[in-house]
Amino acid sequence: MPELPEVESLVRGIRTDLIGRSFSKIEFYRKDLRETIPQKRLRQILLGEIIHEVVRRGKYFLIGTNQGFLGVHLGMSGRFVKSDSTQPQVAHTHACFEINSDTQFRYIDPRRFGRLFSVEKNEKNDHPFLAGLGVEPLDKTIDLAKYLFQKSRTRKQPIKNFLMDSSVVVGIGNIYASEALWLSKIHPEQPANTISRNDFSRVADAAREVLNQAIAAGGTTFRDYRDKDGNPGYFQKNLSVYGKVTKPCSRCGGEVLRLTLAGRSTFFCSFCQKLKINN
DNA sequence: ATTTTCTCCTGCATGC
DNA sequence: TGCATGCAGGAGAAAA
């Protein structure tokens, strides 16, 4: 899916279109995505109600009125696109949220790994999809390095899997996990509980750096991601290891390799990201 | 308790 | 060209 930078880019884009407006018509073209869509409740929450909030939480985003929230997850291939009402619908359009007779937002998701759900007014931190989420990596009120170090003491799984665990820290998916570890010169298979406090400082700084840079570039488009206007992001031009198998590392010239961790492609430089036996 | 595996689904690249 | 295979940025549930 889109990871944190892509969802953040999208949310920033749609926020100005939605705040202070309301949906006048909502259409669903199928009854379920990953779960049954609560169509009736979503209409109650949204129709004719002023939108006062559009926020991201991890890779989810919420559109809020005084009645509650529409929760959205884009899965792997989801898009939330602002369209002119006269534009023909593309394949896999599953829902349409109309603001007025010529502007609507369409939810499109070929793989249907995404979700549309309702969140009650006071359920923002208690909804099952949101309650278990870890910290926001860009939250400046959190000492991310300290937090990750403490959380990792009982975790011997590879650091890359640890960084992608959304109950620990949200928003870091397969691309940015590899990129952040490259930037901090740590091997993706390094057991999380063998990483020093000092090294976690580098990991935390690197993760924030990569995420911020990616947001600034409008996200990464490998294949599916588009912003609300259907445009791709540009951060893929700045990727250092993701998808760069056998290419030379831009930092040291070493060979970039691919391995599989938890079933996911993982990329790293075989020369400047060495496994440490003692740490 | 932690960690890996499985699963949902379509589209696309690759190789025979 | 057609067909089979594998892979794709997620994440929850189940199994180990």
Side-chain angles (χ1 to χ4, degrees):
Chain A
M1 123 180 191
E3 304 181 39
L4 186 151
E6 292 73 45
V7 181
E8 180 64 24
S9 298
L10 178 70
V11 163
R12 289 182 186 183
I14 65 175
R15 186 174 283 140
T16 51
D17 292 310
L18 292 178
I19 299 279
R21 314 292 288 277
S22 62
F23 294 119
S24 53
K25 188 167 118 185
I26 300 173
E27 288 183 334
F28 297 100
Y29 307 112
R30 57 177 302 124
K31 65 177 189 303
D32 58 14
L33 293 167
R34 281 184 59 164
E35 301 87 18
T36 299
I37 301 168
Q39 300 188 7
K40 186 179 170 189
R41 187 69 192 121
L42 287 176
R43 286 198 172 92
Q44 290 170 346
I45 288 170
L46 297 174
L47 278 179
E49 299 286 339
I50 300 294
I51 295 164
H52 56 74
E53 191 177 14
V54 181
V55 289
R56 181 189 58 74
R57 177 73 176 101
K59 300 169 189 170
Y60 289 95
F61 65 92
L62 302 176
I63 296 174
T65 70
N66 284 331
Q67 305 305 314
F69 304 87
L70 159 66
V72 183
H73 196 295
L74 298 176
M76 295 258 250
S77 56
R79 297 180 187 180
F80 197 76
V81 177
K82 184 182 180 185
S83 309
D84 188 288
S85 302
T86 60
Q87 284 175 271
Q89 270 185 15
V90 302
H92 310 295
T93 300
H94 305 310
C96 177
F97 302 87
E98 188 168 290
I99 292 182
N100 55 45
S101 57
D102 49 37
T103 304
Q104 42 187 233
F105 282 86
R106 298 174 182 177
Y107 181 86
I108 303 156
D109 184 7
R111 289 174 76 178
R112 307 208 301 273
F113 284 1
R115 37 177 52 129
L116 295 173
F117 57 103
S118 59
V119 178
E120 298 308 317
K121 203 174 170 183
N122 296 314
E123 198 191 17
K124 213 172 159 184
N125 298 311
D126 302 320
H127 186 283
F129 294 154
L130 309 174
L133 294 178
V135 302
E136 287 287 339
L138 298 181
D139 182 346
K140 287 177 182 162
T141 67
I142 290 168
D143 184 337
L144 188 60
K146 180 181 174 187
Y147 170 83
L148 292 175
F149 176 72
Q150 288 175 347
K151 273 271 182 185
S152 64
R153 292 309 86 189
T154 59
R155 307 286 210 111
K156 58 187 180 188
Q157 67 186 153
I159 179 64
K160 192 229 182 192
N161 300 14
F162 178 72
L163 286 180
M164 289 176 66
D165 184 340
S166 65
S167 70
V168 174
V169 57
V170 295
I172 302 174
N174 208 35
I175 292 180
Y176 297 111
S178 281
E179 292 296 312
L181 290 171
W182 176 83
L183 200 57
S184 44
K185 299 185 184 177
I186 290 180
H187 193 289
E189 286 182 294
Q190 188 72 43
N193 63 356
T194 67
I195 294 176
S196 68
R197 175 57 221 268
N198 239 12
D199 281 354
F200 262 115
S201 289
R202 296 215 320 278
V203 172
D205 288 349
R208 285 180 166 170
E209 174 71 11
V210 165
L211 295 172
N212 279 321
Q213 292 289 322
I215 291 169
T220 298
T221 296
F222 223 73
R223 175 181 295 172
D224 292 316
Y225 173 70
R226 293 292 186 280
D227 69 13
K228 66 157 181 171
D229 297 313
N231 296 318
Y234 296 98
F235 193 71
Q236 59 275 18
K237 293 174 185 167
N238 298 317
L239 294 176
S240 298
V241 286
Y242 189 87
K244 310 277 185 191
V245 191
T246 73
K247 291 186 178 171
C249 167
S250 63
R251 181 168 53 204
C252 77
E255 188 179 26
V256 174
L257 299 180
R258 174 191 184 280
L259 59 85
T260 298
L261 291 180
R264 316 302 302 278
S265 288
T266 304
F267 301 89
F268 69 107
C269 170
S270 55
F271 190 81
C272 60
Q273 290 173 267
K274 295 286 195 199
L275 268 177
K276 292 185 189 176
I277 304 304
N278 298 308
N279 202 10

